[in-house]
Amino acid sequence: MSYPHAATQDQPNKAAPWVLWSPLGFGVVLALAALVSLPTSVPVLLASALMLLVSVVITLAIKRAWQQECLQMRAHVQQAQAQAQSGKSDWQLSQVEDLCQGIAPILVRQIQSSRQLTEDSVLTLSQRFAALVDELDQILNGQGGRQHQDNMQGVSQMFEHSGQRLTNVIQALDHVLKDKDAMLQEVRRLAAYTDELESMAEEVRQVADKINLLALNAAIEAARAGEYGRGFAVVADEVRSLAASSADTGGRISAKVSEITQAMTRTSTNAERSSKQDAQMLTEAETSIQEVLGSLRAAVTDVEQDAGNLRATSEDVRTVIADVLLNLQFQDRVNQILQHVETHVQELPHYVRSLETETDTLDKILQTMDKAYTTLEERTNHQQHLNTRQSESTRGSPTQARSSTQSAQDEDNLTFF
Amino acid sequence: MTKLIMIVDDSASLRQVVAISLKGAGYEVLEASNGQDALNKMTGQKIHLIISDVNMPIMDGISFVKAVKQLPQYKFTPIMMLTTESQQEKKMEGKAAGAKAWLVKPFQPNVLLNAVAKLVLP
């Protein structure tokens, strides 16, 4: 609200308009006109004097009325100005207070929900990271690690044990094969006996032939002896009969020995072939077993190496997660800073009210804020703002100021009493 | 025997961070969200060290230290303050209350563990 005409009406005596003098001028002109145009006489002179007097009286009356009006107006304007000034101040503070009361609760709610959201998220993150670190610890140092080591030791022992048992099987088969060879040698040695038996059977046949011939001669001589030789002839026949029987037996022996020889030769041949096949199979089985064991051992070694690599990677991951977890400490500081901001936003209407009743309000508010701070960042920001207010030349971001002193701070962070 | 350390802080995420550092070094951890909560949970425990924040709701860290020093069982239990407060006046308040050390957040794990190793009861 403004009063532009107030300044022009402030000094009515000095600036009385010329119009106020017009009745006097009009009276003087009429008086002069009467004196000039009419013949000089007492009535004309009286009338002119009267007009002049009336015009003077009217002019003075008008001027007095004007002055009074001006004085009243000035008083009125002054009063209006005073009222306007006071009303304006009250109006502004009231509006600002209303504004603060209308906005501050919303801002406080926004800050609170932001704080809660950040705290919840960081808590969830930290819990998950902590769970990950725990699990990795268990894998690396706890039951999981030990179980893995036990498993790997068990696998190695199982391989050693299986290799030993398979070697034993190979050795047993080898032993069987050697026994079979020994038996084959025996068969071959028996084959040598059959030749001898064949020779003996031949000898039996030859003796039988000789006996038969001898018995034939004896029969001839018995016949030649006549009656005296009759008994001898009977003996000779019997001997011939025995010789024939012996020759027959020798022939059958020879035939059987021949059959046996053939059978033993076949057996020996088959046994030799089987022995060679067994030896080849044994060699192949031993080679296969060694190859399979070697492959499995290589696979286990690979698994062990992979497990070692996995373990090293897990340790790296654990370290990284632990570092990330440490960096989540920012939440605590951010939370405290936001709490203080929230408090001061809540206090804004009160701060505005205090403008009406207190002096040095800003300084007092700044001191209150400074006392409430708990973090270095808050104090640094506050001080830098004050410095900026004092001099535009001293500028710098809080982060830069902080990072330059970070390493020194780490050393000074711990105090023993 | 595993040493038991109590962490008193209203920030759950910070308790997690401290706990993971201590557990990694082989300590057992007991957590509380403020001084009163800690006093309630201390009963019947054998605590070798207390790590406490300063600014907490319900019961702040300085009041908590004073209360602990009144308990016969924990009269000589060392207490380390772990806080964002770094002002000397606050540190002196902690010292006067009975704290043995003051570590300003954010902390480095090795600094925390070195301090814990020096303070923890045998």
Side-chain angles (χ1 to χ4, degrees):
Chain A
M1 194 180 290
S2 62
Y3 297 85
H5 59 284
T8 57
Q9 310 250 350
D10 198 28
Q11 297 172 327
N13 290 331
K14 291 180 183 177
W18 61 269
V19 177
L20 294 178
W21 300 97
S22 59
L24 181 60
F26 187 69
V28 170
V29 170
L30 280 179
L32 287 176
L35 288 174
V36 171
S37 60
L38 295 176
T40 306
S41 61
V42 174
V44 171
L45 286 174
L46 283 174
S48 298
L50 186 62
M51 280 193 288
L52 197 60
L53 185 64
V54 169
S55 64
V56 169
V57 169
I58 290 171
T59 301
L60 288 175
I62 290 171
K63 191 180 175 189
R64 185 181 175 83
W66 169 257
Q67 283 176 335
Q68 284 180 346
E69 182 65 25
C70 284
L71 284 173
Q72 282 180 356
M73 194 173 286
R74 186 169 66 176
H76 178 70
V77 167
Q78 283 175 346
Q79 188 181 359
Q81 280 181 328
Q83 284 177 351
Q85 194 65 35
S86 169
K88 186 180 176 186
S89 174
D90 289 346
W91 177 83
Q92 283 177 335
L93 285 174
S94 157
Q95 291 294 308
V96 173
E97 196 177 332
D98 287 348
L99 195 69
C100 290
Q101 282 176 344
I103 293 173
I106 297 170
L107 293 176
V108 167
R109 276 178 184 274
Q110 305 287 19
I111 294 168
Q112 282 174 342
S113 66
S114 301
R115 274 178 52 214
Q116 195 59 47
L117 187 65
T118 317
E119 174 68 20
D120 290 348
S121 303
V122 170
L123 182 59
T124 306
L125 271 179
S126 64
Q127 282 172 341
R128 288 188 178 174
F129 281 138
L132 277 176
V133 170
D134 277 346
E135 284 176 17
L136 287 170
D137 276 343
Q138 281 188 357
I139 290 168
L140 293 169
N141 307 315
Q143 292 177 348
R146 282 200 297 276
Q147 193 173 359
H148 173 74
Q149 286 177 347
D150 290 347
N151 285 344
M152 294 314 292
Q153 283 178 354
V155 169
S156 295
Q157 284 178 351
M158 186 189 74
F159 270 107
E160 290 298 322
H161 189 60
S162 301
Q164 191 59 47
R165 288 184 68 179
L166 287 169
T167 305
N168 289 342
V169 169
I170 295 290
Q171 283 176 349
L173 287 172
D174 192 46
H175 192 64
V176 168
L177 202 58
K178 280 176 181 167
D179 285 349
K180 203 172 171 182
D181 276 345
M183 192 174 69
L184 188 61
Q185 292 299 328
E186 285 296 317
V187 170
R188 282 181 186 145
R189 205 158 57 82
L190 285 175
Y193 287 136
T194 57
D195 290 343
E196 214 173 313
L197 287 172
E198 180 70 27
S199 170
M200 286 168 71
E202 184 59 28
E203 282 177 12
V204 167
R205 275 201 310 275
Q206 286 176 358
V207 168
D209 284 347
K210 286 178 180 174
I211 292 171
N212 187 39
L213 189 59
L214 195 61
L216 186 61
N217 287 334
I220 293 169
E221 288 302 323
R224 199 178 285 164
E227 192 64 27
Y228 295 105
R230 196 176 290 169
F232 191 70
V234 171
V235 173
D237 283 342
E238 285 300 320
V239 169
R240 277 181 63 197
S241 173
L242 284 172
S245 178
S246 294
D248 184 50
T249 301
R252 281 192 283 121
I253 288 171
S254 183
K256 287 295 175 192
V257 166
S258 178
E259 281 180 22
I260 289 170
T261 302
Q262 285 176 358
M264 288 179 78
T265 302
R266 284 198 302 273
T267 303
S268 176
T269 305
N270 289 339
E272 272 184 28
R273 192 168 60 243
S274 171
S275 181
K276 281 181 184 173
Q277 287 175 348
D278 289 349
Q280 192 178 350
M281 281 174 62
L282 195 63
T283 306
E284 286 175 1
E286 195 172 354
T287 307
S288 297
I289 287 169
Q290 292 302 332
E291 282 177 359
V292 168
L293 284 176
S295 300
L296 287 173
R297 199 168 283 120
V300 169
T301 306
D302 286 347
V303 169
E304 279 180 336
Q305 281 180 349
D306 288 346
N309 292 338
L310 200 62
R311 187 183 171 81
T313 307
S314 299
E315 281 176 348
D316 290 344
V317 170
R318 188 204 177 279
T319 307
V320 171
I321 292 175
D323 284 347
V324 171
L325 204 52
L326 281 169
N327 284 321
L328 292 180
Q329 287 182 76
F330 81 89
Q331 166 57 22
D332 186 44
R333 299 200 308 283
V334 169
N335 195 31
Q336 290 192 34
I337 293 168
L338 285 177
Q339 262 181 340
H340 298 147
V341 171
E342 182 187 319
T343 304
H344 294 309
V345 171
Q346 265 176 332
E347 287 296 311
L348 267 179
H350 176 251
Y351 292 158
V352 171
R353 268 198 303 278
S354 66
L355 285 169
E356 297 175 33
T357 54
E358 296 176 15
T359 55
D360 300 331
T361 309
L362 180 60
D363 288 341
K364 286 176 183 171
I365 292 171
L366 288 173
Q367 282 174 8
T368 307
M369 290 170 73
D370 193 37
K371 279 183 185 172
Y373 294 145
T374 56
T375 67
L376 188 63
E377 289 93 337
E378 287 173 296
R379 294 196 178 92
T380 307
N381 289 335
H382 187 99
Q383 194 55 48
Q384 284 194 340
H385 173 67
L386 294 183
N387 291 345
T388 308
R389 276 168 59 91
Q390 285 174 354
S391 165
E392 287 296 324
S393 61
T394 53
R395 285 182 178 175
S397 71
T399 310
Q400 285 169 342
R402 179 170 163 68
S403 61
S404 63
T405 56
Q406 185 65 55
S407 58
Q409 253 182 32
D410 287 342
E411 298 298 323
D412 297 336
N413 274 355
L414 178 62
T415 310
F416 286 104
F417 300 131
Chain B
M1 192 183 104
T2 311
K3 306 286 175 59
L4 179 61
I5 298 177
M6 173 170 254
I7 306 166
V8 190
D9 201 307
D10 57 327
S11 166
S13 58
L14 196 108
R15 291 202 302 272
Q16 286 273 357
V17 174
V18 178
I20 207 75
S21 296
L22 294 175
K23 284 178 184 172
Y27 296 105
E28 275 186 31
V29 170
L30 183 63
E31 295 183 26
S33 59
N34 60 65
Q36 189 56 55
D37 186 30
L39 289 173
N40 296 338
K41 289 179 177 172
M42 287 170 81
T43 313
Q45 300 283 349
K46 181 165 173 54
I47 296 169
H48 297 80
L49 173 69
I50 297 168
I51 299 174
S52 174
D53 189 12
V54 172
N55 299 302
M56 293 181 288
I58 303 174
M59 182 186 279
D60 67 85
I62 301 294
S63 304
F64 168 63
V65 175
K66 289 175 183 170
V68 170
K69 292 300 166 188
Q70 299 300 315
L71 301 173
Q73 189 190 348
Y74 293 110
K75 195 174 178 182
F76 299 107
T77 303
I79 303 175
M80 176 166 69
M81 309 311 290
L82 178 60
T83 172
T84 53
E85 291 279 6
S86 59
Q87 288 196 310
Q88 196 61 24
E89 307 90 76
K90 277 284 179 186
K91 288 184 184 179
M92 288 303 106
E93 269 188 59
K95 182 184 178 182
K100 289 287 178 193
W102 190 281
L103 180 57
V104 178
K105 300 172 190 173
F107 67 88
Q108 290 299 313
N110 58 331
V111 176
L112 174 75
L113 293 177
N114 286 341
V116 167
K118 284 179 186 171
L119 292 171
V120 72
L121 286 176

